mmCIF file of all heavy atoms in Angstrom:
data_model
loop_
_atom_site.group_PDB
_atom_site.id
_atom_site.type_symbol
_atom_site.label_atom_id
_atom_site.label_comp_id
_atom_site.label_asym_id
_atom_site.label_seq_id
_atom_site.Cartn_x
_atom_site.Cartn_y
_atom_site.Cartn_z
ATOM 1 N N LEU W 23 123.347 97.813 102.830
ATOM 2 C CA LEU W 23 122.168 97.258 102.139
ATOM 3 C C LEU W 23 121.304 96.448 103.080
ATOM 4 O O LEU W 23 120.081 96.622 103.104
ATOM 5 C CB LEU W 23 122.607 96.424 100.949
ATOM 6 C CG LEU W 23 121.488 95.825 100.111
ATOM 7 C CD1 LEU W 23 120.736 96.946 99.378
ATOM 8 C CD2 LEU W 23 122.072 94.822 99.129
ATOM 9 N N LEU W 24 121.905 95.623 103.905
ATOM 10 C CA LEU W 24 121.111 94.798 104.852
ATOM 11 C C LEU W 24 120.463 95.623 105.911
ATOM 12 O O LEU W 24 119.330 95.395 106.302
ATOM 13 C CB LEU W 24 122.006 93.718 105.471
ATOM 14 C CG LEU W 24 122.425 92.585 104.517
ATOM 15 C CD1 LEU W 24 123.432 91.679 105.249
ATOM 16 C CD2 LEU W 24 121.233 91.834 104.051
ATOM 17 N N VAL W 25 121.147 96.670 106.386
ATOM 18 C CA VAL W 25 120.540 97.555 107.404
ATOM 19 C C VAL W 25 119.375 98.330 106.793
ATOM 20 O O VAL W 25 118.304 98.427 107.394
ATOM 21 C CB VAL W 25 121.599 98.536 107.952
ATOM 22 C CG1 VAL W 25 120.965 99.649 108.764
ATOM 23 C CG2 VAL W 25 122.614 97.816 108.809
ATOM 24 N N PHE W 26 119.544 98.775 105.546
ATOM 25 C CA PHE W 26 118.444 99.488 104.870
ATOM 26 C C PHE W 26 117.232 98.581 104.710
ATOM 27 O O PHE W 26 116.103 98.976 104.987
ATOM 28 C CB PHE W 26 118.917 100.006 103.507
ATOM 29 C CG PHE W 26 117.798 100.595 102.672
ATOM 30 C CD1 PHE W 26 117.296 101.843 102.971
ATOM 31 C CD2 PHE W 26 117.298 99.859 101.633
ATOM 32 C CE1 PHE W 26 116.293 102.376 102.218
ATOM 33 C CE2 PHE W 26 116.258 100.401 100.860
ATOM 34 C CZ PHE W 26 115.768 101.669 101.139
ATOM 35 N N LEU W 27 117.441 97.357 104.212
ATOM 36 C CA LEU W 27 116.342 96.425 104.050
ATOM 37 C C LEU W 27 115.672 96.059 105.367
ATOM 38 O O LEU W 27 114.455 95.949 105.421
ATOM 39 C CB LEU W 27 116.847 95.136 103.347
ATOM 40 C CG LEU W 27 117.216 95.301 101.872
ATOM 41 C CD1 LEU W 27 117.790 94.023 101.328
ATOM 42 C CD2 LEU W 27 116.041 95.798 101.027
ATOM 43 N N GLY W 28 116.426 95.937 106.413
ATOM 44 C CA GLY W 28 115.877 95.646 107.746
ATOM 45 C C GLY W 28 114.997 96.798 108.225
ATOM 46 O O GLY W 28 113.879 96.562 108.710
ATOM 47 N N LEU W 29 115.492 98.005 108.077
ATOM 48 C CA LEU W 29 114.703 99.190 108.493
ATOM 49 C C LEU W 29 113.439 99.321 107.627
ATOM 50 O O LEU W 29 112.387 99.695 108.149
ATOM 51 C CB LEU W 29 115.565 100.464 108.427
ATOM 52 C CG LEU W 29 116.676 100.508 109.447
ATOM 53 C CD1 LEU W 29 117.535 101.744 109.179
ATOM 54 C CD2 LEU W 29 116.100 100.577 110.835
ATOM 55 N N LEU W 30 113.545 99.021 106.370
ATOM 56 C CA LEU W 30 112.395 99.064 105.495
ATOM 57 C C LEU W 30 111.336 98.068 105.902
ATOM 58 O O LEU W 30 110.147 98.375 105.970
ATOM 59 C CB LEU W 30 112.829 98.817 104.043
ATOM 60 C CG LEU W 30 111.711 98.859 103.009
ATOM 61 C CD1 LEU W 30 111.176 100.280 102.854
ATOM 62 C CD2 LEU W 30 112.228 98.355 101.651
ATOM 63 N N LEU W 31 111.770 96.843 106.241
ATOM 64 C CA LEU W 31 110.806 95.840 106.683
ATOM 65 C C LEU W 31 110.146 96.233 107.990
ATOM 66 O O LEU W 31 108.940 95.951 108.185
ATOM 67 C CB LEU W 31 111.504 94.494 106.808
ATOM 68 C CG LEU W 31 111.839 93.801 105.500
ATOM 69 C CD1 LEU W 31 112.668 92.541 105.789
ATOM 70 C CD2 LEU W 31 110.594 93.445 104.728
ATOM 71 N N ILE W 32 110.882 96.857 108.890
ATOM 72 C CA ILE W 32 110.278 97.293 110.152
ATOM 73 C C ILE W 32 109.233 98.354 109.901
ATOM 74 O O ILE W 32 108.139 98.304 110.473
ATOM 75 C CB ILE W 32 111.361 97.852 111.080
ATOM 76 C CG1 ILE W 32 112.240 96.686 111.597
ATOM 77 C CG2 ILE W 32 110.771 98.595 112.285
ATOM 78 C CD1 ILE W 32 113.484 97.107 112.345
ATOM 79 N N GLN W 33 109.520 99.291 108.991
ATOM 80 C CA GLN W 33 108.567 100.347 108.674
ATOM 81 C C GLN W 33 107.309 99.774 108.003
ATOM 82 O O GLN W 33 106.202 100.181 108.308
ATOM 83 C CB GLN W 33 109.198 101.412 107.751
ATOM 84 C CG GLN W 33 110.156 102.324 108.434
ATOM 85 C CD GLN W 33 109.477 103.108 109.551
ATOM 86 O OE1 GLN W 33 109.693 102.846 110.721
ATOM 87 N NE2 GLN W 33 108.630 104.024 109.163
ATOM 88 N N VAL W 34 107.474 98.823 107.114
ATOM 89 C CA VAL W 34 106.321 98.175 106.457
ATOM 90 C C VAL W 34 105.508 97.415 107.484
ATOM 91 O O VAL W 34 104.270 97.430 107.435
ATOM 92 C CB VAL W 34 106.807 97.238 105.313
ATOM 93 C CG1 VAL W 34 105.708 96.367 104.806
ATOM 94 C CG2 VAL W 34 107.365 98.109 104.191
ATOM 95 N N ALA W 35 106.183 96.737 108.410
ATOM 96 C CA ALA W 35 105.458 95.975 109.447
ATOM 97 C C ALA W 35 104.639 96.918 110.332
ATOM 98 O O ALA W 35 103.601 96.500 110.871
ATOM 99 C CB ALA W 35 106.430 95.155 110.263
ATOM 100 N N GLU W 36 105.065 98.140 110.522
ATOM 101 C CA GLU W 36 104.298 99.083 111.321
ATOM 102 C C GLU W 36 103.204 99.780 110.433
ATOM 103 O O GLU W 36 102.119 100.084 110.955
ATOM 104 C CB GLU W 36 105.202 100.165 111.887
ATOM 105 C CG GLU W 36 106.162 99.646 112.936
ATOM 106 C CD GLU W 36 107.143 100.676 113.411
ATOM 107 O OE1 GLU W 36 107.139 101.796 112.868
ATOM 108 O OE2 GLU W 36 107.914 100.363 114.323
ATOM 109 N N TRP W 37 103.508 99.994 109.178
ATOM 110 C CA TRP W 37 102.579 100.740 108.310
ATOM 111 C C TRP W 37 101.341 99.925 107.894
ATOM 112 O O TRP W 37 100.242 100.460 107.865
ATOM 113 C CB TRP W 37 103.315 101.190 107.050
ATOM 114 C CG TRP W 37 102.464 101.825 106.040
ATOM 115 C CD1 TRP W 37 101.975 103.124 106.050
ATOM 116 C CD2 TRP W 37 101.957 101.254 104.815
ATOM 117 N NE1 TRP W 37 101.210 103.355 104.937
ATOM 118 C CE2 TRP W 37 101.205 102.227 104.175
ATOM 119 C CE3 TRP W 37 102.106 99.978 104.233
ATOM 120 C CZ2 TRP W 37 100.573 101.984 102.954
ATOM 121 C CZ3 TRP W 37 101.481 99.753 103.032
ATOM 122 C CH2 TRP W 37 100.720 100.733 102.421
ATOM 123 N N VAL W 38 101.514 98.621 107.609
ATOM 124 C CA VAL W 38 100.404 97.810 107.152
ATOM 125 C C VAL W 38 99.273 97.734 108.156
ATOM 126 O O VAL W 38 98.131 97.991 107.810
ATOM 127 C CB VAL W 38 100.913 96.393 106.725
ATOM 128 C CG1 VAL W 38 99.734 95.451 106.486
ATOM 129 C CG2 VAL W 38 101.746 96.488 105.461
ATOM 130 N N PRO W 39 99.504 97.430 109.439
ATOM 131 C CA PRO W 39 98.397 97.401 110.390
ATOM 132 C C PRO W 39 97.725 98.765 110.594
ATOM 133 O O PRO W 39 96.520 98.883 110.768
ATOM 134 C CB PRO W 39 98.995 96.909 111.686
ATOM 135 C CG PRO W 39 100.263 96.232 111.291
ATOM 136 C CD PRO W 39 100.731 96.920 110.053
ATOM 137 N N GLU W 40 98.525 99.851 110.544
ATOM 138 C CA GLU W 40 97.960 101.162 110.707
ATOM 139 C C GLU W 40 97.066 101.547 109.541
ATOM 140 O O GLU W 40 96.029 102.202 109.711
ATOM 141 C CB GLU W 40 99.069 102.246 110.855
ATOM 142 C CG GLU W 40 99.840 102.150 112.135
ATOM 143 C CD GLU W 40 101.000 103.131 112.171
ATOM 144 O OE1 GLU W 40 101.166 103.905 111.190
ATOM 145 O OE2 GLU W 40 101.739 103.105 113.159
ATOM 146 N N THR W 41 97.432 101.113 108.356
ATOM 147 C CA THR W 41 96.698 101.503 107.158
ATOM 148 C C THR W 41 95.511 100.588 106.892
ATOM 149 O O THR W 41 94.428 101.038 106.553
ATOM 150 C CB THR W 41 97.646 101.492 105.923
ATOM 151 O OG1 THR W 41 98.766 102.321 106.207
ATOM 152 C CG2 THR W 41 96.952 101.989 104.699
ATOM 153 N N PHE W 42 95.709 99.269 107.011
ATOM 154 C CA PHE W 42 94.674 98.341 106.615
ATOM 155 C C PHE W 42 93.994 97.631 107.796
ATOM 156 O O PHE W 42 93.108 96.816 107.601
ATOM 157 C CB PHE W 42 95.272 97.266 105.698
ATOM 158 C CG PHE W 42 95.846 97.837 104.456
ATOM 159 C CD1 PHE W 42 97.223 97.853 104.248
ATOM 160 C CD2 PHE W 42 95.062 98.387 103.470
ATOM 161 C CE1 PHE W 42 97.771 98.365 103.134
ATOM 162 C CE2 PHE W 42 95.597 98.891 102.315
ATOM 163 C CZ PHE W 42 96.939 98.898 102.145
ATOM 164 N N GLY W 43 94.401 97.886 108.994
ATOM 165 C CA GLY W 43 93.864 97.212 110.153
ATOM 166 C C GLY W 43 94.547 95.889 110.412
ATOM 167 O O GLY W 43 95.551 95.567 109.783
ATOM 168 N N ASP W 44 94.013 95.136 111.305
ATOM 169 C CA ASP W 44 94.648 93.878 111.706
ATOM 170 C C ASP W 44 94.169 92.759 110.736
ATOM 171 O O ASP W 44 93.202 92.086 110.985
ATOM 172 C CB ASP W 44 94.283 93.556 113.133
ATOM 173 C CG ASP W 44 95.105 92.403 113.676
ATOM 174 O OD1 ASP W 44 96.182 92.136 113.104
ATOM 175 O OD2 ASP W 44 94.687 91.772 114.661
ATOM 176 N N ILE W 45 94.880 92.605 109.617
ATOM 177 C CA ILE W 45 94.550 91.573 108.657
ATOM 178 C C ILE W 45 95.612 90.482 108.675
ATOM 179 O O ILE W 45 96.790 90.775 108.939
ATOM 180 C CB ILE W 45 94.431 92.168 107.231
ATOM 181 C CG1 ILE W 45 95.707 92.867 106.819
ATOM 182 C CG2 ILE W 45 93.248 93.125 107.157
ATOM 183 C CD1 ILE W 45 95.699 93.320 105.379
ATOM 184 N N PRO W 46 95.263 89.269 108.341
ATOM 185 C CA PRO W 46 96.277 88.220 108.316
ATOM 186 C C PRO W 46 97.224 88.378 107.108
ATOM 187 O O PRO W 46 96.873 88.934 106.083
ATOM 188 C CB PRO W 46 95.462 86.917 108.147
ATOM 189 C CG PRO W 46 94.088 87.326 107.779
ATOM 190 C CD PRO W 46 93.906 88.768 108.136
#
Side-chain angles (χ1 to χ4, degrees):
L23 182 67
L24 289 174
V25 168
F26 173 76
L27 290 175
L29 291 173
L30 181 68
L31 286 174
I32 290 171
Q33 286 299 109
V34 168
E36 292 175 356
W37 174 77
V38 168
E40 290 175 3
T41 305
F42 301 110
D44 192 20
I45 58 173

